[in-house]
Amino acid sequence: PTPVAYLLGHREFYSLNFMTTPAALVPRPETELLVDLSLQLCAHLDHPRVLEMGTGSGAISVALLKQRVGIDLLTTDISADCLNLARQNADMHDVRLNCIESNWYQNLHGQTPFDLIISNPPYIAAEDPCLCRGDLPAEPSLALTPGQSGLEAIEKIVRGAGEYLRKGGFIMFEHGHDQAPPSRELLEQSGFQSIRNIHDYNNLPRVSYAQLP
Ligand code: GLN
């Protein structure tokens, strides 16, 4: 069945209305956690420089820009269709999004360091039966599954982050309910400290974040 959000062409996220198309994942309520936590981490910074990787519909970035003036936000996606959708959502909410088409860090060379890198990456293992349930078969598999283990995108994001974060900068990402331990391990291996995991509204481990020393 086609997800209701694709039929209607919009979905609410963070109390804002977003256009939705089959090019991008439908925004999920649990992903609002990324917005809340990003706002907390940026609260003490004057002009936080934030990178959102794999923005899809642009919902996370647009919600951040609506909540907090003065954020310098760069968003990426591998899909030009997603970036077009993200730009339309930014225009609709009258905020400015800088977009770069990029396969994770591939086209980001030369960017000045970020205070915060955030992502809701694909994290479902390729053979996970949940991909056959509910709305998921109609959503872009590029946005849902990164490969066999489900951790491939998180691995790339964490391992590449050191080059793009300032000292003391944060990385934060959404993950599957059983991916908090491997996420912690990856963060430790990449030299991150103060690793935290936050549960979602269903009390499942959902977001991990950590700081570069
Ligand atoms: N949380 C989504 C789901 O399980 C998946 C989102 C994602 O892979 N980033 O429906």
Side-chain angles (χ1 to χ4, degrees):
T2 306
V4 175
Y6 291 158
L7 293 172
L8 297 175
H10 58 91
R11 168 62 51 95
E12 190 190 297
F13 175 82
Y14 219 84
S15 301
L16 298 165
N17 192 33
F18 286 94
M19 286 182 264
T20 49
T21 75
L25 207 69
V26 177
R28 314 282 209 259
E30 60 268 29
T31 303
E32 294 181 353
L33 256 182
L34 277 179
V35 180
D36 283 334
L37 294 166
S38 297
L39 290 170
Q40 284 174 29
L41 292 179
C42 288
H44 65 286
L45 300 170
D46 278 344
H47 290 286
R49 186 162 154 76
V50 180
L51 170 64
E52 193 210 347
M53 310 193 82
T55 193
S57 66
I60 297 168
S61 284
V62 171
L64 276 174
L65 290 165
K66 287 304 280 184
Q67 289 298 315
R68 170 71 206 271
V69 282
I71 294 189
D72 174 13
L73 231 161
L74 181 66
T75 59
T76 73
D77 207 284
I78 194 173
S79 153
D81 288 341
C82 284
L83 289 180
N84 282 332
L85 178 63
R87 278 192 204 99
Q88 285 179 51
N89 276 319
D91 287 349
M92 189 167 84
H93 290 291
D94 219 11
V95 293
R96 194 183 146 66
L97 260 195
N98 299 310
C99 300
I100 295 186
E101 196 175 317
S102 180
N103 182 2
W104 304 120
Y105 297 98
Q106 201 167 289
N107 299 336
L108 296 182
H109 298 291
Q111 290 290 331
T112 45
F114 295 91
D115 296 299
L116 172 64
I117 296 177
I118 57 175
S119 185
N120 174 18
Y123 54 71
I124 303 176
E127 272 144 43
D128 189 322
C130 88
L131 288 168
C132 302
R133 287 187 217 126
D135 290 349
L136 272 62
E139 293 185 290
S141 63
L142 202 59
L144 289 169
T145 179
Q148 284 305 311
S149 75
L151 284 165
E152 290 89 343
I154 289 172
E155 277 167 15
K156 283 189 189 135
I157 292 167
V158 171
R159 293 201 172 124
E163 199 181 326
Y164 293 93
L165 278 176
R166 69 160 168 85
K167 286 195 176 97
F170 287 87
I171 184 167
M172 172 158 58
F173 52 91
E174 186 175 314
H175 53 66
H177 62 87
D178 53 356
Q179 289 172 333
S183 295
R184 168 175 286 273
E185 201 171 309
L186 276 166
L187 288 162
E188 279 169 355
Q189 283 168 9
S190 295
F192 283 93
Q193 294 180 347
S194 313
I195 302 167
R196 299 274 319 270
N197 178 266
I198 308 293
H199 288 214
D200 65 15
Y201 311 124
N202 296 314
N203 204 24
L204 296 169
R206 186 59 64 196
V207 171
S208 286
Y209 70 87
Q211 188 172 23
L212 210 59

